[in-house]
Amino acid sequence: SRFSTIIIGGAKREVFSVGRVQTPTLMLIVKRELEIRNFIPKTFWKIEGDFGLSNGGYRGAAQVPGVTDRKEAERFYDEAQARKVAEASIKIGTGIVTDERKPKKESAPRLFDLTTLQREGNRRFGFSAKTTLGVAQALYEKHKALTYPRTDSQHLPEDYLQMVKDTMEMLAKSPMKHLAPFAKTAIDQGYIKPSPKVFNNAKVSDHFAIIPTLEAPSGLSDAEQKLYDFVVRRFIAVFYPAAQFMDTTRISQVAAAGKTHHFKTTGRVLIDPGWQAIYGKEVDEEEDKESGKILVKLNAGEKPKVSEADPKGLKTRPPARYTEATLLGAMESAGKQVEDDELREAMQEKGLGTPATRAAIIEGLINEKYILRDGREMIPTAKAF
């Protein structure tokens, strides 16, 4: 750091701090910024068709023939081709539709380690990594409500089963009306049992996952209450059964004069919410974004009517800037991005920094005027370059 301050800082002696964690972390942010600056947007056309069935309507995106990538398959880079497909589809007016259904199970996410808690805290509440660590530390030290937060484990020791049952009993009797019934159900239904997903000595180093203690807290600040609820929810959910869905891919074919145009719709039907019941609407909203809406039922042999097919001119977007949540994730998995096999092997499962130091590294980069926090985005300064 002294050397780079003299060489780069020059006569002004502006401090240029370097380090084995902070410098490669800064490189991730600068590299992303260069990708954004050098990005050349491409115009493409997306055709969404409106299809009508006796049970209601649905929308489908026209597919580019021969393209298998999910995103690229919906992008027509030739406007004339896009307009041709749209006009032909409306002209033909009816099509053949097939549904492919696949049952899917989704298990609850693992218990929190510090990095996962910081990422989720930033994503859900906009907390900085430093704030999340500070709040978790207060819940551990001052309120005795959470276990030790500076951990990199998402598992519990195998002899912790009884302690988990006692903690669940405490939560079932707690005044948290929105979560206590779920804790009671977990006890009544015998959900708490030995499972390597939760109890695994090999995955516990100095400290285990962050979970609630037997102490029922009171007098929590707004931020403390939010984070405590968040950890409790995850703790209860990990013992619940998997959520069960029926994932559906609907292909609507509009064919005439030897030409077939395919429109694709994806949707998901919830069969049994399982652990997702504990999260209620929050999960529903995310599922909608990721998996499409619930599809109207298709009757055997029914042909959908095409009422509209409108090509919309859109532009490809540059990669997003890092937020603290995505930067923490990139730091955690940094070893996977190393091209040299030997170095990648050395960094396997290590990443940049440790759960206890990552928040301080990010704050350090801000204090050294290398990056600015703009809303949730992390923007590198000229000094960073």
Side-chain angles (χ1 to χ4, degrees):
S1 294
R2 289 186 296 173
F3 175 76
S4 53
T5 297
I6 293 163
I7 296 297
I8 312 168
K12 285 195 282 183
R13 284 288 186 274
E14 187 183 359
V15 174
F16 276 81
S17 166
V18 297
R20 61 182 181 168
V21 178
Q22 60 169 303
T23 306
T25 301
L26 185 61
M27 183 60 193
L28 290 172
I29 299 166
V30 169
K31 207 172 169 187
R32 177 63 57 89
E33 195 67 22
L34 287 170
E35 285 171 16
I36 294 165
R37 287 184 189 183
N38 297 329
F39 182 80
I40 299 162
K42 279 186 187 172
T43 303
F44 66 92
W45 282 263
K46 183 176 179 177
I47 310 162
E48 284 210 312
D50 282 335
F51 294 87
L53 293 167
S54 55
N55 290 322
Y58 66 92
R59 289 173 78 78
Q63 305 293 292
V64 181
V67 179
T68 52
D69 180 78
R70 191 175 60 85
K71 264 188 186 172
E72 287 297 310
E74 294 180 359
R75 293 175 175 177
F76 288 81
Y77 290 102
D78 179 347
E79 187 182 2
Q81 184 195 9
R83 296 209 174 277
K84 230 176 183 176
V85 170
E87 284 161 18
S89 301
I90 292 171
K91 199 174 174 184
I92 298 159
T94 59
I96 304 162
V97 62
T98 52
D99 276 0
E100 187 188 319
R101 290 191 183 89
K102 281 183 187 165
K104 190 178 178 185
K105 285 186 177 183
E106 210 168 273
S107 297
R110 292 187 195 282
L111 296 169
F112 282 122
D113 62 6
L114 179 60
T115 303
T116 322
L117 184 62
Q118 286 170 320
R119 281 165 60 186
E120 288 296 308
N122 182 252
R123 199 170 68 86
R124 192 59 58 97
F125 309 123
F127 291 172
S128 71
K130 183 185 178 185
T131 300
T132 298
L133 176 57
V135 172
Q137 198 71 27
L139 286 164
Y140 164 67
E141 282 177 6
K142 183 179 161 192
H143 300 286
K144 310 280 188 281
L146 289 186
T147 56
Y148 185 72
R150 293 167 185 256
T151 175
D152 61 356
S153 176
Q154 291 184 286
H155 295 79
L156 299 174
E158 287 163 26
D159 60 2
Y160 227 69
L161 189 67
Q162 191 52 49
M163 180 63 84
V164 164
K165 287 180 178 175
D166 294 345
T167 307
M168 203 68 83
E169 291 275 5
M170 180 277 291
L171 293 170
K173 291 170 190 162
S174 78
M176 294 193 293
K177 288 179 182 167
H178 59 303
L179 293 174
F182 293 112
K184 190 176 183 312
T185 301
I187 296 159
D188 295 347
Q189 298 295 325
Y191 288 159
I192 307 158
K193 18 183 201 256
S195 155
K197 184 191 168 182
V198 182
F199 304 97
N200 190 335
N201 288 345
K203 300 265 176 96
V204 175
S205 48
D206 297 343
H207 306 284
F208 51 76
I210 305 168
I211 62 167
T213 63
L214 290 167
E215 197 82 31
S218 59
L220 300 183
S221 70
D222 182 48
E224 287 167 348
Q225 190 64 57
K226 274 181 177 171
L227 210 66
Y228 181 70
D229 275 19
F230 211 38
V231 174
V232 168
R233 226 179 262 260
R234 179 77 66 114
F235 172 72
I236 299 170
V238 81
F239 297 102
Y240 263 63
Q244 294 183 50
F245 302 94
M246 192 61 81
D247 273 359
T248 305
T249 302
R250 177 168 291 175
I251 301 294
S252 309
Q253 295 178 46
V254 184
K259 281 259 183 188
T260 305
H261 306 302
H262 294 79
F263 289 77
K264 188 177 178 182
T265 314
T266 54
R268 148 174 289 196
V269 180
L270 183 63
I271 308 295
D272 179 358
W275 65 273
Q276 293 200 353
I278 300 164
Y279 285 82
K281 268 196 166 172
E282 292 171 27
V283 173
D284 291 347
E285 282 157 19
E286 288 189 17
E287 291 300 343
D288 279 352
K289 277 180 220 162
E290 287 169 27
S291 309
K293 307 286 179 195
I294 290 172
L295 289 171
V296 294
K297 197 181 169 201
L298 173 66
N299 295 324
E302 194 173 5
K303 290 188 172 185
K305 288 182 173 60
V306 189
S307 59
E308 198 179 309
D310 185 26
K312 280 185 187 153
L314 301 165
K315 277 187 164 63
T316 54
R317 289 181 184 176
R321 282 198 178 105
Y322 281 112
T323 63
E324 281 199 49
T326 55
L327 183 58
L328 285 164
M331 288 172 81
E332 192 176 33
S333 63
K336 291 170 187 165
Q337 298 164 30
V338 177
E339 285 171 19
D340 184 293
D341 291 344
E342 205 174 317
L343 295 178
R344 188 167 59 245
E345 187 72 26
M347 268 191 86
Q348 198 177 13
E349 291 177 22
K350 287 276 181 273
L352 289 168
T354 67
T357 61
R358 284 177 191 134
I361 291 292
I362 295 169
E363 291 300 322
L365 291 172
I366 292 166
N367 294 337
E368 294 290 348
K369 308 279 189 291
Y370 282 134
I371 56 175
L372 303 170
R373 199 187 262 126
D374 182 14
R376 294 193 186 190
E377 289 186 336
M378 315 300 269
I379 303 172
T381 61
K383 183 181 177 182
F385 283 88

